[in-house]
């Protein structure tokens, strides 16, 4: 069976972390990560960055905005 | 779809939609609010074009995106995205200064970067990358949903996202260096 090398694993990193790989590819990457410290490190850094950005990217909905938006539907019912 | 059902569906995603609108407008909250208001009315008016049982979020985000470009008075710039070389930029930089083996990169680096600085980095991305990353980071969308929302192929979503990630990593690393975070860690 074909085994992924470091270059291929890094190529699949983004999709792996986004859960966009096929089950088979997902497993191959996982297997490699269990055996390769430097790829595991690379994945840990990438994932850590993604979590940071996801946690920071959102905004809190301003108070009353939902009600204002819903009220505006009165005009065009 | 009756008004009550529409409001329930919309109410569930309004928070995510607001975050998306703020990022699309590069952090301008007032413009985001106006945009969300306008998109909501236009969605409400056109609610019969939504097929019940399909993805309401993708449907609404598409309306929101179109409203944004209408307001901005320009069509989306379709540039050719070159597939970025997949490069674990942050990791490579971290390795350079000898901190790549850290058990928890968040603890030594990411948690020291302010939320506002991360938002800034997102807002500074060129528009074609900003839009895709806004959907990805704030809209909690899969590649498929993003592709659906922006009417671009999944492969384009993937390559733009990869490129956006690289640009973000460069920005975050530069930030960490300029703030002295990296230096403090690597000589600790
Ligand atoms: Zn490896």
């Amino acid at each position: 069976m074909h085994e992924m090398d470091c270059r291929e694993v890094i190529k699949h990193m983004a999709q792996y972390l986004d859960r966009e790989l096929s089950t088979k590819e997902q497993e191959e990457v996982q297997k490699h990560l269990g055996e390769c410290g430097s790829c595991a490190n690379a994945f840990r850094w990438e994932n850590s960055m993604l979590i940071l950005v996801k946690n920071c990217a959102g905004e809190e909905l301003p108070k009353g905005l939902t009600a204002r938006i819903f009220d505006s539907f009165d005009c065009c019912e | 779809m009756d008004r009550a059902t529409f409001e329930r569906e919309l109410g569930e995603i309004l928070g995510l939609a607001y975050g998306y609108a703020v990022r699309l407008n590069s952090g301008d909250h007032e413009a985001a609010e106006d945009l969300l208001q306008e998109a909501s009315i236009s969605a409400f008016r056109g609610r019969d074009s939504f097929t019940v049982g399909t993805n309401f979020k993708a449907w609404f985000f598409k309306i929101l995106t179109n409203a944004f470009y209408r307001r901005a008075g320009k069509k989306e710039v379709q540039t050719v995205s070159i597939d970025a070389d997949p490069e674990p930029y942050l990791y490579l930089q971290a390795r350079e200064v000898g901190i790549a083996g850290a058990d928890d990169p968040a603890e030594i680096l990411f948690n020291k970067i302010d939320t506002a600085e991360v938002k800034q980095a997102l807002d500074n991305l060129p528009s074609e990358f900003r839009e895709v990353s806004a959907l990805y980071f704030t809209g909690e969308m899969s590649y498929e949903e993003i592709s659906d929302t922006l009417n671009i192929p999944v492969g384009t979503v993937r390559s733009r996202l990869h490129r956006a990630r690289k640009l973000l990593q460069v920005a975050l690393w530069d930030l960490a260096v300029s703030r002295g975070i990296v230096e403090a860690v690597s000589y600790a």
Side-chain angles (χ1 to χ4, degrees):
Chain A
M1 193 187 98
H2 167 79
E3 281 206 16
M4 285 191 191
D5 60 20
C6 293
R7 201 187 53 85
E8 282 175 281
V9 166
I10 293 297
K11 211 175 132 191
H12 287 89
M13 178 166 69
Q15 282 161 275
Y16 174 86
L17 295 173
D18 294 338
R19 297 177 218 293
E20 298 274 354
L21 289 179
S22 67
T23 315
K24 188 174 163 287
E25 289 170 316
Q26 193 90 11
E27 279 166 4
E28 278 183 59
V29 171
Q30 205 146 10
K31 178 166 179 289
H32 182 92
L33 292 179
E35 296 160 352
C36 176
S38 66
C39 282
N41 283 345
F43 274 54
R44 205 164 53 247
W45 277 85
E46 184 88 8
N47 198 36
S48 208
M49 186 276 299
L50 292 177
I51 291 170
L52 169 82
V53 180
K54 280 178 183 164
N55 286 342
C56 295
E59 297 288 342
E60 202 162 330
L61 200 57
K63 237 181 143 67
L65 182 58
T66 304
R68 281 202 296 287
I69 287 175
F70 286 1
D71 285 348
S72 70
F73 297 156
D74 288 346
C75 72
C76 33
E77 214 174 358
Chain B
M1 191 191 284
D2 62 31
R3 178 168 173 173
T5 311
F6 179 83
E7 288 184 353
R8 199 177 55 242
E9 291 271 8
L10 182 63
E12 267 178 38
I13 56 160
L14 219 43
L16 292 181
Y18 182 69
Y20 174 52
V22 172
R23 299 277 78 81
L24 269 183
N25 284 287
S26 297
D28 184 338
H29 285 254
E30 212 172 302
E33 206 170 304
D34 290 348
L35 174 65
L36 194 58
Q37 176 81 70
E38 183 188 324
S40 299
I41 290 186
S42 118
F44 180 67
R45 285 203 175 112
R47 65 190 183 282
D48 288 337
S49 75
F50 172 71
T51 316
V52 179
T54 60
N55 190 335
F56 184 86
K57 186 164 90 176
W59 177 78
F60 181 72
F61 275 54
K62 194 181 286 190
I63 293 170
L64 186 61
T65 309
N66 290 340
F68 172 72
Y69 283 109
R70 208 167 42 238
R71 289 173 78 94
K74 56 172 180 165
K75 291 286 279 174
E76 185 194 350
V77 196
Q78 289 287 356
T79 50
V80 185
S81 281
I82 301 143
D83 243 327
D85 239 10
E87 181 191 45
Y89 183 81
L90 276 172
Y91 162 71
L92 292 176
Q93 298 301 312
R95 200 173 64 179
E96 198 85 352
V97 296
I99 56 172
D103 283 335
D104 187 4
E107 196 185 311
I108 61 165
L109 193 132
F110 298 123
N111 291 350
K112 295 174 181 161
I113 298 175
D114 296 334
T115 303
E117 293 174 313
V118 177
K119 289 186 201 290
Q120 189 79 62
L122 278 168
D123 295 342
N124 284 344
L125 289 173
S127 73
E128 66 168 321
F129 301 121
R130 200 168 64 229
E131 174 190 77
V132 164
S133 349
L135 286 172
Y136 173 79
F137 287 111
T138 68
E140 297 172 7
M141 282 190 173
S142 65
Y143 295 1
E144 188 73 46
E145 285 179 298
I146 297 174
S147 140
D148 197 28
T149 303
L150 299 177
N151 275 325
I152 53 176
V154 173
T156 309
V157 171
R158 192 163 49 225
S159 65
R160 283 193 199 174
L161 266 181
H162 290 190
R163 186 94 188 93
R165 266 146 103 135
K166 168 83 183 292
L167 292 172
L168 276 174
Q169 297 197 26
V170 172
L172 293 175
W173 183 260
D174 285 353
L175 195 71
V177 170
S178 72
R179 289 259 315 273
I181 298 169
V182 169
E183 203 182 18
V185 175
S186 52
Y187 296 112

